[in-house]
Amino acid sequence: MKIAKRCKVELRKDHLSKVAASSTKAALAELIWNSLDADATNVNVNFTSGPLGTDRVTVSDNGTGISYKDAESLFISLGGSWKASKNKTDSGRFLHGKEGEGRFKAFALGRVVDWKVTYKEDGKLFDFTIEGKSDSLDEFVLSDVSESQRTSTGITVEVSELESKKSHVVDPDKAHGQLAPLFALYLSNYKTVSLSINGERIDTDSLIRYRKTFPLTPIEVDGEQQPVELDLVEWDSLSEREIWFCDGNGFPLEPYMKQIRGIGDFGYAAYLKSDYFRDLHNQNLLPLADLGQTIGIGPACKEAIKTIKDFFIARQLEEAKDQLEEWKEEDIYPYQGEPVTSVEEAERKVFDIVAINVNQNLPDFSKVDKKSKQLQFRMLKHAIEKSPEDLQKILTEVLNLPKASREQLAELLEDTSLSSIISASRIVADRINFITALEQLLYNHKDHLKERSQLHRLLAANTWIFGEPFTLSVDDKSLTEVLKKHAELSRLDVVINDPVLRVDGRKGIVDLMLSRQIPRNHGNEREHLVVELKRPNVKIGKKEIDQIEGYAFAVAKDERFRGVDTKWHFLIISNDYDDYADIKLNAEGNKGGVLFRYTKNMDVTVWLKTWSLLLTENNHRLHFIRDRLNYNIGSEQALRNLKKTHAKFIEGIKVKEDEAETVD
């Protein structure tokens, strides 16, 4: 090559070395993207073998090339790529790179890189060559330009003097499977483009068995919604399983190193697409995806994994359709007819996937006699519907499913929509049971219901009734302990040795204190609910209101907690209230059960609610799911269930022994 000039790159050499650092797969992919961004319709990757493995890699294309007058400016500066001001190529295809760093990635493959360029100008074709070396990244050698003998434009990039430790990594036998997932979406979208590896064309039509796009919940960033999609591709002949963060056009940026086990022999590539990921990639934050809460993408990753699991559960069931029909014909399948509710459908699908995995992982299972299979399937069905703990025991002790298979099965079912539906149904059913029984206790057994030993203990175990976000912090403690607990939760450097007294000077004992951390920008924001329970046959009047207000005033006047970013709610509750309480509730400015509100130095609100109102609020929250579950239970049946779970708290409450209405 006749040297025309040497071009010095205007950046520090150590920075260029960092840019050039890359995996061999990423470096090779970058060369291919450069060809595609140059509007190439044919890209060929070839490997030349030497004594120790691959010793030369060539990427050639029929793109537009680079004009000689632009070559120097393009190669002597990092960034400022011609692509930065464009979104598409001249033919209308989306561009992949815009940072002007791609050419340096080639040095991750080998020491010497030659760009052999053919471009068109004034109706004629011209050739020139650019040479670079990894030990002088800040310098490129540009040849003279000459008229070309070729028939079309394009660039051939030759990488030689591959590092000995990398020559075996650039494996032509593996390259096809490694590169196909990176370019599958692009090649599917642009059918006129051909990419070949050592003469073998990547044919997406034969590689892709299924492709489906799922819209996911947008990511909120600085108050704006960033759209997110999942493109899921199931391979027909590849075993690779990869999840990729992509920009909004589907260009892979970084792999997400999460593996999903237990999905059989399916190979797939999942492309999590959003322009927000491109922004994170440019800031080098995308590799921190496992710290999703820090950069705001954790929920999107979790939703994507759930979607992938749901998809392959459906695929497993589809492929096992014949086996399921065979079990039904043998009369060992434990379900009859079609599922009626979404919960029944979810339970049946979980049973199917567990039974299929048992059948696949236990070669002798098919030889078991009919009666034993019926029994084992009935045990699995019961465990799925009633007791997940028993399911693990059956898989381990009864069926002897191997540990690795159990773990894969557990991972597959974890966080799927099926397990979510079943878990939600159990929670809602338990809560409907509790509310139905509690209503009976409060109104039909109120004269026998004890405040502290029964009602108090029942509610301490079911604090969700006061609001889902709250958790129990203090149970039956003095007001001093309440504020100590608040200081502990809020991590305040406050010493509370002196007792906190009510305004009348007496020591207060609160029934329950519930706390939650407010899900906003500042982790120290807290919200507390202090509940004062009264026996259901006690009407709330002046004495009771003075008591709860005394607690609230004690907190409001305590200088140790003024200015602390906390909301305090004080709630007194019983079946009914008298005229005095009614006047207080309807005083000017009060509404919705508020007795008193103080916001000068801290946010303190005193509430009065009846059990009727609180139960109605809970029933309203559960109403929609109750209908979907088609769940009904009689009051006496609910009491019997309550006695089983909380027997020590409701001693002395008599329950009818006659048969009550049961679950549909």
Side-chain angles (χ1 to χ4, degrees):
M1 172 179 79
K2 184 178 178 182
I3 297 174
K5 61 173 70 176
R6 296 183 182 274
C7 307
K8 295 289 288 184
V9 178
E10 299 169 351
L11 267 178
R12 296 184 59 148
K13 195 171 180 179
D14 60 343
H15 180 70
L16 294 174
S17 297
K18 290 180 182 178
V19 174
S22 179
S23 69
T24 53
K25 182 169 76 169
L28 190 54
E30 196 65 41
L31 293 178
I32 297 170
W33 284 124
N34 284 344
S35 293
L36 297 174
D37 284 349
D39 250 343
T41 56
N42 289 295
V43 182
N44 297 286
V45 180
N46 287 285
F47 302 91
T48 304
S49 297
L52 300 176
T54 303
D55 65 4
R56 183 181 296 270
V57 179
T58 305
V59 179
S60 57
D61 67 58
N62 64 343
T64 54
I66 304 170
S67 69
Y68 191 74
K69 66 177 183 293
D70 293 332
E72 182 176 352
S73 62
L74 286 173
F75 273 78
I76 66 172
S77 62
L78 181 65
S81 168
W82 63 272
K83 308 172 192 177
S85 60
K86 298 182 67 175
N87 289 318
K88 293 184 178 182
T89 67
D90 291 340
S91 68
R93 284 152 37 193
F94 282 108
L95 288 166
H96 171 262
K98 292 189 177 184
E99 303 302 316
E101 299 179 353
R103 60 191 176 277
F104 291 97
K105 299 289 186 185
F107 295 104
L109 293 170
R111 176 177 172 270
V112 179
V113 183
D114 292 311
W115 286 263
K116 299 178 179 180
V117 183
T118 301
Y119 70 99
K120 191 173 187 177
E121 186 173 275
D122 298 330
K124 295 181 179 180
L125 297 178
F126 297 92
D127 292 334
F128 66 93
T129 301
I130 303 169
E131 182 187 89
K133 295 179 180 179
S134 61
D135 42 14
S136 54
L137 286 173
D138 58 342
E139 181 179 274
F140 287 91
V141 177
L142 188 65
S143 75
D144 280 330
V145 65
S146 60
E147 195 166 338
S148 178
Q149 301 300 311
R150 295 183 61 184
T151 58
S152 65
T153 59
I155 297 178
T156 297
V157 183
E158 289 187 359
V159 184
S160 56
E161 296 189 32
L162 273 63
E163 296 181 36
S164 58
K165 64 180 180 179
K166 289 188 176 182
S167 61
H168 69 284
V169 178
V170 187
D171 187 342
D173 295 330
K174 295 180 180 178
H176 192 277
Q178 290 177 335
L179 294 173
L182 285 169
F183 295 94
L185 292 189
Y186 188 94
L187 296 173
S188 294
N189 293 336
Y190 302 114
K191 296 292 188 182
T192 58
V193 177
S194 172
L195 171 60
S196 298
I197 313 295
N198 263 14
E200 181 184 356
R201 184 171 175 268
I202 295 179
D203 181 7
T204 55
D205 289 339
S206 64
L207 282 177
I208 296 175
R209 181 179 297 171
Y210 289 103
R211 176 182 174 184
K212 191 170 182 180
T213 301
F214 302 88
L216 302 183
T217 305
I219 298 172
E220 185 170 337
V221 183
D222 297 329
E224 293 186 6
Q225 300 288 316
Q226 301 286 340
V228 186
E229 275 188 346
L230 178 70
D231 242 331
L232 184 57
V233 170
E234 180 191 341
W235 303 123
D236 193 29
S237 55
L238 294 178
S239 59
E240 274 75 13
R241 298 177 179 181
E242 298 177 324
I243 303 174
W244 286 89
F245 290 109
C246 306
D247 66 12
N249 296 318
F251 292 118
L253 304 169
E254 297 273 355
Y256 178 43
M257 309 308 291
K258 170 70 176 180
Q259 293 296 320
I260 303 174
R261 299 189 301 162
I263 59 172
D265 297 326
F266 298 108
Y268 69 88
Y271 305 93
L272 198 53
K273 302 191 304 186
S274 176
D275 284 330
Y276 178 53
F277 299 147
R278 167 70 75 181
D279 297 337
L280 293 175
H281 176 70
N282 292 341
Q283 300 172 58
N284 292 319
L285 292 175
L286 206 46
L288 303 177
D290 284 329
L291 305 176
Q293 291 182 344
T294 304
I295 55 178
I297 62 176
C301 295
K302 187 173 182 179
E303 187 179 359
I305 290 169
K306 178 179 177 180
T307 303
I308 294 167
K309 288 180 177 180
D310 286 345
F311 177 83
F312 284 111
I313 282 176
R315 290 285 295 116
Q316 278 194 344
L317 294 178
E318 182 183 330
E319 293 206 340
K321 193 183 302 180
D322 291 343
Q323 178 63 73
L324 294 171
E325 287 300 321
E326 184 180 321
W327 286 338
K328 290 176 184 178
E329 290 174 6
E330 291 178 14
D331 196 27
I332 61 175
Y333 190 72
Y335 294 92
Q336 300 295 323
E338 296 299 319
V340 176
T341 67
S342 58
V343 177
E344 290 177 5
E345 184 178 4
E347 288 174 345
R348 191 171 302 193
K349 284 183 177 179
V350 170
F351 171 85
D352 290 348
I353 202 69
V354 171
I356 289 162
N357 274 269
V358 168
N359 189 58
Q360 290 173 343
N361 288 284
L362 295 178
D364 294 334
F365 184 78
S366 59
K367 302 174 186 177
V368 175
D369 62 86
K370 177 180 176 180
K371 190 173 182 180
S372 296
K373 283 183 182 177
Q374 284 177 326
L375 175 61
Q376 290 166 354
F377 276 1
R378 283 201 302 270
M379 285 192 296
L380 286 177
K381 174 180 181 288
H382 179 80
I384 289 165
E385 294 173 351
K386 305 296 182 184
S387 176
E389 299 80 13
D390 287 348
L391 178 60
Q392 285 296 324
K393 188 179 294 185
I394 292 168
L395 293 175
T396 306
E397 299 177 9
V398 179
L399 297 173
N400 294 317
L401 196 68
K403 181 181 178 182
S405 300
R406 295 198 310 270
E407 290 175 349
Q408 289 185 7
L409 184 58
E411 184 171 335
L412 175 62
L413 292 174
E414 185 182 6
D415 294 331
T416 65
S417 61
L418 298 178
S419 56
S420 300
I421 291 170
I422 295 171
S423 298
S425 74
R426 291 196 186 103
I427 291 171
V428 171
D430 289 344
R431 291 184 178 184
I432 290 172
N433 270 329
F434 181 78
I435 288 175
T436 305
L438 181 62
E439 191 170 10
Q440 286 295 303
L441 292 175
L442 291 169
Y443 295 105
N444 296 341
H445 301 275
K446 63 182 179 181
D447 294 331
H448 306 288
L449 187 63
K450 298 173 184 177
E451 178 186 321
R452 291 201 177 276
S453 63
Q454 293 182 330
L455 181 60
H456 185 136
R457 309 316 304 165
L458 285 171
L459 294 170
N462 293 275
T463 56
W464 52 266
I465 201 167
F466 299 107
E468 197 65 51
F470 290 106
T471 56
L472 184 63
S473 295
V474 174
D475 178 6
D476 201 10
K477 298 290 183 181
S478 70
L479 193 57
T480 303
E481 291 301 314
V482 168
L483 292 188
K484 281 185 178 180
K485 189 64 178 179
H486 165 62
E488 177 188 328
L489 290 172
S490 302
R491 298 179 181 177
L492 299 174
D493 189 15
V494 176
V495 178
I496 306 175
N497 290 325
D498 298 328
V500 179
L501 303 177
R502 300 185 332 190
V503 286
D504 60 7
R506 293 176 4 186
K507 184 179 179 181
I509 300 292
V510 301
D511 288 337
L512 300 172
M513 173 181 158
L514 311 175
S515 300
R516 71 162 180 164
Q517 190 165 327
I518 299 174
R520 294 194 300 218
N521 294 330
H522 304 291
N524 61 344
E525 295 178 350
R526 292 200 171 268
E527 188 167 9
H528 299 311
L529 171 63
V530 176
V531 181
E532 180 63 26
L533 301 169
K534 295 302 175 185
R535 285 185 65 175
N537 59 359
V538 173
K539 274 191 175 185
I540 297 174
K542 186 176 187 306
K543 176 184 173 183
E544 291 75 24
I545 291 175
D546 287 347
Q547 181 186 15
I548 193 70
E549 287 185 341
Y551 297 159
F553 296 162
V555 171
K557 76 179 183 66
D558 199 303
E559 69 275 7
R560 288 170 288 189
F561 299 97
R562 289 178 185 171
V564 178
D565 200 358
T566 303
K567 289 185 177 181
W568 288 87
H569 302 276
F570 291 82
L571 169 65
I572 186 168
I573 187 166
S574 188
N575 279 19
D576 203 359
Y577 51 85
D578 65 12
D579 292 341
Y580 176 85
D582 186 62
I583 291 172
K584 291 272 291 185
L585 286 170
N586 290 287
E588 186 175 352
N590 288 349
K591 60 181 180 178
V594 173
L595 289 170
F596 169 81
R597 180 85 185 272
Y598 177 81
T599 57
K600 185 177 180 182
N601 294 312
M602 62 176 63
D603 196 333
V604 179
T605 307
V606 180
W607 303 80
L608 185 158
K609 286 190 178 183
T610 63
W611 279 113
S612 174
L613 178 61
L614 192 63
L615 292 176
T616 299
E617 289 174 352
N618 275 276
N619 275 317
H620 181 73
R621 284 203 298 265
L622 296 169
H623 181 74
F624 173 75
I625 305 177
R626 182 205 295 257
D627 289 347
R628 292 292 299 274
L629 294 177
N630 195 24
Y631 186 86
N632 295 292
I633 188 166
S635 56
E636 294 299 328
Q637 178 67 37
L639 273 177
R640 279 195 288 275
N641 292 343
L642 191 66
K643 286 204 75 169
K644 290 178 183 177
T645 53
H646 299 289
K648 61 182 179 179
F649 300 144
I650 55 174
E651 291 177 2
I653 303 295
K654 294 189 177 182
V655 180
K656 293 179 183 178
E657 294 301 327
D658 56 300
E659 197 64 34
E661 184 182 2
T662 56
V663 182
D664 285 353

